[in-house]
Amino acid sequence: LYEAPHKMKNTLNSKQSVHTYAYTQVSSESELETKVTNSIAREAPVVFHAKTAPLQMYNGTNLGHYVLGHTIFYPTYDNKVLVAYNDPWDKDYGKGTVYGNHTDSLQNFYKCLTQYGKRYLIYAS
């Protein structure tokens, strides 16, 4: 299982030459926000090696799964930082299919990486 993020990083680096991808565990929401923001600012999406229970679309279903974060934004109506992501899985856990483009809070992504053991963020470093 923990070999998988290393393989994902190596594959990303072998399939393109614009960015150098790395992977890490994160220790705070602010560290996650910084890494996601910096990677996306370089036009390099991030890969969350996630446990899915905290994501709204998964409705508590806790799978080990990769999702691709491509946009981070700061709505003016509340204090939540949001991440738009694409999900390749095509299943409905009670809130519609998880396949495709969705948005969830950075806080929930932090939980995906920290609440259930060793999970990783794969990002352009």
Side-chain angles (χ1 to χ4, degrees):
L1 173 67
Y2 302 112
E3 205 174 273
H6 177 73
K7 288 180 180 179
M8 177 67 78
K9 172 200 66 112
N10 288 347
T11 299
L12 287 168
N13 287 329
S14 73
K15 300 293 181 186
Q16 53 80 47
S17 59
V18 176
H19 306 290
T20 301
Y21 277 87
Y23 69 98
T24 189
Q25 290 180 280
V26 293
S27 57
S28 69
E29 278 185 55
S30 63
E31 178 189 9
L32 178 61
E33 182 178 349
T34 298
K35 288 188 181 322
V36 170
T37 300
N38 290 343
S39 190
I40 289 172
R42 294 180 178 139
E43 297 183 354
V46 297
V47 180
F48 295 96
H49 172 245
K51 286 296 239 177
T52 59
L55 296 177
Q56 294 173 25
M57 291 303 295
Y58 278 84
N59 204 23
T61 302
N62 202 22
L63 307 174
H65 184 50
Y66 289 106
V67 296
L68 182 75
H70 57 79
T71 308
I72 188 166
F73 54 99
Y74 303 84
T76 57
Y77 54 86
D78 65 20
N79 292 329
K80 288 185 181 178
V81 177
L82 300 176
V83 177
Y85 68 98
N86 279 338
D87 194 324
W89 189 237
D90 190 7
K91 185 129 182 178
D92 186 335
Y93 296 103
K95 294 189 174 188
T97 182
V98 297
Y99 178 79
N101 196 47
H102 304 283
T103 302
D104 213 317
S105 70
L106 182 78
Q107 180 181 38
N108 283 350
F109 276 104
Y110 179 69
K111 291 175 186 175
C112 286
L113 298 179
T114 60
Q115 283 189 340
Y116 304 97
K118 293 181 179 182
R119 307 310 289 185
Y120 297 89
L121 175 70
I122 303 164
Y123 65 102
S125 58

